[in-house]
């Protein structure tokens, strides 16, 4: 079982990630979002909580810039490329959370 919190844009996501009462096992963040990019979120979270920054899994599709590619290449975080299927997401959750969420 997973509890999911949804953010409506990058800025909303950042506020939820940085909320001092928030307890995250994993954050799934698109690189391209309204208001703030995944890169900007990662940068902001890294400054205040490197542990939380390491819990971010990025997702992306086409349309990424040279700067995005450089960021992805230098980043130790997991990247899941769109389109991905439910099995890919379940496998990622199992690996990152150390559980079997498929059952």
């Amino acid at each position: 079982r997973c509890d999911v919190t949804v953010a409506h844009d990058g800025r909303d996501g950042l506020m939820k990630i940085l909320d001092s009462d928030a307890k995250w096992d994993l954050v799934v963040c698109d690189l391209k979002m309204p208001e703030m990019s995944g890169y900007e979120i990662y940068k902001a979270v890294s400054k205040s909580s490197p542990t939380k920054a390491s819990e971010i899994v990025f997702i992306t599709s086409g349309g990424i810039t040279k700067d995005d590619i450089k960021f992805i290449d230098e980043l130790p975080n997991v990247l899941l490329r769109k389109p991905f299927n439910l099995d890919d997401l379940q496998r990622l959750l199992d690996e990152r959370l150390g559980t079997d969420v498929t059952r």
Side-chain angles (χ1 to χ4, degrees), residues 2 10 12 30 37:
C2 292
D12 181 36
D30 204 325
S37 69

Side-chain angles (χ1 to χ4, degrees), residues 17-34:
I17 293 168
L18 295 179
D19 181 340
S20 61
D21 294 329
K23 303 288 187 234
W24 306 107
D25 293 315
L26 182 71
V27 173
V28 178
C29 179
D30 204 325
L31 283 177
K32 301 290 183 186
M33 298 175 290

Side-chain angles (χ1 to χ4, degrees), residues 57-74:
V57 171
F58 289 98
I59 59 174
T60 189
S61 59
I64 57 176
T65 66
K66 282 197 268 185
D67 289 338
D68 294 332
I69 293 169
K70 183 176 186 242
F71 169 64
I72 291 166
D73 287 344
E74 295 174 354

Side-chain angles (χ1 to χ4, degrees), residues 12-55:
D12 181 36
L14 179 62
M15 289 181 355
K16 289 177 179 180
I17 293 168
L18 295 179
D19 181 340
S20 61
D21 294 329
K23 303 288 187 234
W24 306 107
D25 293 315
L26 182 71
V27 173
V28 178
C29 179
D30 204 325
L31 283 177
K32 301 290 183 186
M33 298 175 290
E35 302 295 324
M36 287 184 92
S37 69
Y39 171 72
E40 292 169 312
I41 288 174
Y42 182 80
K43 206 165 132 180
V45 174
S46 292
K47 287 180 183 176
S48 66
S49 178
T51 301
K52 282 186 180 182
S54 71
E55 296 164 354

